[in-house]
Amino acid sequence: MKLEGLHEKEIFTEHYPFRLVENTADEFKYPMHWHNAAELVYNAEGTCVISVSGDEYSLNTGDLLLIPPGEIHEIVSCSRNGKRYFIQFNISTLDCFGGINDVKPYLERIIKISRDTGPELRGSIEKCVTDLIREHERKDYAYALSLNARIFDIIVLIARSMAKSAQNNENAGSRKVAGLQQINKAFEYIERNYPLHITLKDVSNAAGFSEYYFSRLFKEYTGQSFLNYLNYYRVKQAEKLLKSTERPVLEIALESGFNSLATFNRIFKKLKGCSPTYYRKAGM
């Protein structure tokens, strides 16, 4: 697995397009990213907050969140003593099965599944997920086939539940992925050039869009403006240097792309809630 800009690639490590990760880290966070796989988050214990395309979803124990392919998402926070499972699978590999095109539109929507949205649906899907986890842990004969069967069960449950209210957006997911692949050039440009003076025009040109169209698209995909994201990225790079080196704060500010110590201090405090000097001393 690797990140190029915000694009998370090579997520499947087994011989079939499926990945399951159990996570029990206290106060776990994971930065903004996207991938071509669909992702089902099962919050088994504790609480978890996930941002998808700028909207935050709070998950309590037993809640699930379906994230379609191509959606930029971020693990904002997770509680202590919690447990959550990240299940990723490739929808395109299901194309050979009859009837899959009828339910694809329901896999291209962000869907939170909780007791509030339907305790019966949540309970049924939770049972499928726990069976899936057990199969993945045991790895008995033909377990990969069993995992696929559980994924199909989950898809059928969601599709039947959402059929009455869902709109047919069959091609929305593929269009969003295509747009993200184009705008990913902007993320890669920022990653390479963040220490330098970067303008909206520079990044728009790198993405192949006009400034107006790029600004609108960037806001749509990330939930924030280009400048806010650039400041966020620069602060993240500065955090690493504050933690790992004893270099002067001014030097770190300039290397991270800020044109003055005053600007760096102001933006760092706005995003982190404290000054860079305090952040370093507190070992945060």
Side-chain angles (χ1 to χ4, degrees), residues 153-168:
D153 287 341
I154 291 168
I155 290 173
V156 169
L157 287 167
I158 291 174
R160 286 179 175 173
S161 175
M162 301 298 163
K164 292 182 181 179
S165 59
Q167 296 179 348
N168 189 2

Side-chain angles (χ1 to χ4, degrees), residues 51-55 70-73 110 176 219-223:
S51 174
V52 187
S53 292
D55 294 323
E71 294 284 356
I72 293 179
H73 54 287
I110 303 164
K176 179 174 278 289
K219 178 74 173 179
E220 178 185 339
Y221 283 137
T222 68

Side-chain angles (χ1 to χ4, degrees), residues 208-231:
F209 298 128
S210 69
E211 292 179 47
Y212 172 79
Y213 187 68
F214 173 77
S215 296
R216 185 171 66 81
L217 219 59
F218 196 91
K219 178 74 173 179
E220 178 185 339
Y221 283 137
T222 68
Q224 57 184 308
S225 70
F226 155 69
L227 182 58
N228 284 343
Y229 174 77
L230 179 60
N231 285 333

Side-chain angles (χ1 to χ4, degrees), residues 187 214 267:
F187 297 127
F214 173 77
I267 293 175

Side-chain angles (χ1 to χ4, degrees), residues 162-225:
M162 301 298 163
K164 292 182 181 179
S165 59
Q167 296 179 348
N168 189 2
N169 297 319
E170 198 164 299
N171 297 319
S174 59
R175 288 197 300 270
K176 179 174 278 289
V177 169
L180 277 168
Q181 288 171 339
Q182 186 68 17
I183 206 171
N184 194 61
K185 294 178 181 178
F187 297 127
E188 292 173 350
Y189 183 89
I190 292 170
E191 193 173 285
R192 292 193 306 268
N193 297 286
Y194 72 89
L196 308 176
H197 177 66
I198 300 177
T199 66
L200 176 62
K201 183 177 181 180
D202 295 331
V203 182
S204 301
N205 288 338
F209 298 128
S210 69
E211 292 179 47
Y212 172 79
Y213 187 68
F214 173 77
S215 296
R216 185 171 66 81
L217 219 59
F218 196 91
K219 178 74 173 179
E220 178 185 339
Y221 283 137
T222 68
Q224 57 184 308
S225 70

